[in-house]
Structure formats: C-alpha cells, structure tokens
Amino acid sequence: MQWIDHHVLAQLGHDVGEALLPHLISLFVEDSAMSLADMQRATDRQDAEALLLLAHTLKSVCATYGAQVSQQQAKALEAACRQQNWHDIGIYLDALQRSVPESGQALQDYLLQT
C-alpha cells in the first residue's frame, strides 16, 4: 500500500526547503502519536466534539504531508463524529491507529531515498 503521495511531499519540501523537511517529518511522527492518544482519550469519554476537532486537525496535517490513506480515514472519522456514530468512530480510530504510524514510517523512508 502506498501510504504517502510523493508528489505532495516533494512539493512540501520545495515550499519549506529541503533542509527543513527532516525536522517537519519528525514533528509529524511525534505530534501524530500524541494526537492518536488524545483521540483515544476523547473516544473513551465519548466526547464527540473534542474528537471532531482532533480528527479535523489530523486530516489537515495528513493532507499537508501527503499521507493520503490517513487523511481519508480522518475525514471519515470526522463525519462519524458529526453523527455521533460511535460504532464507526471505533472503526476509523482503529484504522488510524494503524495507518498513521505506517505513514510516519513512509515519510521517514522518503527521506532516506532522497
């Protein structure tokens, strides 16, 4: 599975400068792990409003880095939060728990290839 869109990531590198890209990718890995933990806590509390904001933020961040699979899952989670569909929220959060770390690894691998 292709976890990231290399064209989006290359454009990000061009926009911010290739020297800054490793630092930004490191931030993505760290921040997204914290976001997933926050999402789990919001889900445990059944706080749909907090989870909606977290999903929306993660969706935007993933779009910036070209993490297309995670972006789509965060978008679906956001929609489930709006409907307070806790069954689907669980499904999409589980999917993000797998795809976000995979996307982070793909981002780090991209750095090694360039």
Side-chain angles (χ1 to χ4, degrees):
M1 176 173 289
Q2 185 170 343
W3 296 104
I4 59 169
D5 182 331
H6 289 208
H7 298 297
V8 171
L9 191 54
Q11 184 63 49
L12 177 62
H14 176 75
D15 292 346
V16 301
E18 294 296 327
L20 187 56
L21 194 56
H23 177 68
L24 291 177
I25 287 174
S26 183
L27 286 175
F28 173 88
V29 171
E30 292 171 21
D31 290 350
S32 63
M34 288 189 296
S35 292
L36 290 172
D38 290 343
M39 288 176 156
Q40 186 61 59
R41 284 190 289 276
T43 300
D44 293 345
R45 293 188 317 267
Q46 290 202 341
D47 186 344
E49 188 174 321
L51 188 56
L52 174 67
L53 179 60
L54 290 162
H56 178 78
T57 302
L58 183 63
K59 176 186 75 173
S60 298
V61 169
C62 288
T64 299
Y65 287 86
Q68 56 197 13
V69 174
S70 296
Q71 177 191 0
Q72 290 303 313
Q73 291 168 343
K75 181 179 180 180
L77 177 59
E78 188 179 15
C81 289
R82 283 194 177 93
Q83 298 172 351
Q84 295 192 20
N85 181 336
W86 292 102
H87 177 264
D88 286 355
I89 286 170
I91 290 170
Y92 295 123
L93 183 57
D94 285 346
L96 282 165
Q97 296 280 6
R98 288 186 301 276
S99 71
V100 169
E102 290 287 350
S103 296
Q105 185 60 55
L107 290 168
Q108 291 172 328
D109 292 346
Y110 175 86
L111 290 176
L112 296 175
Q113 296 169 5
T114 56

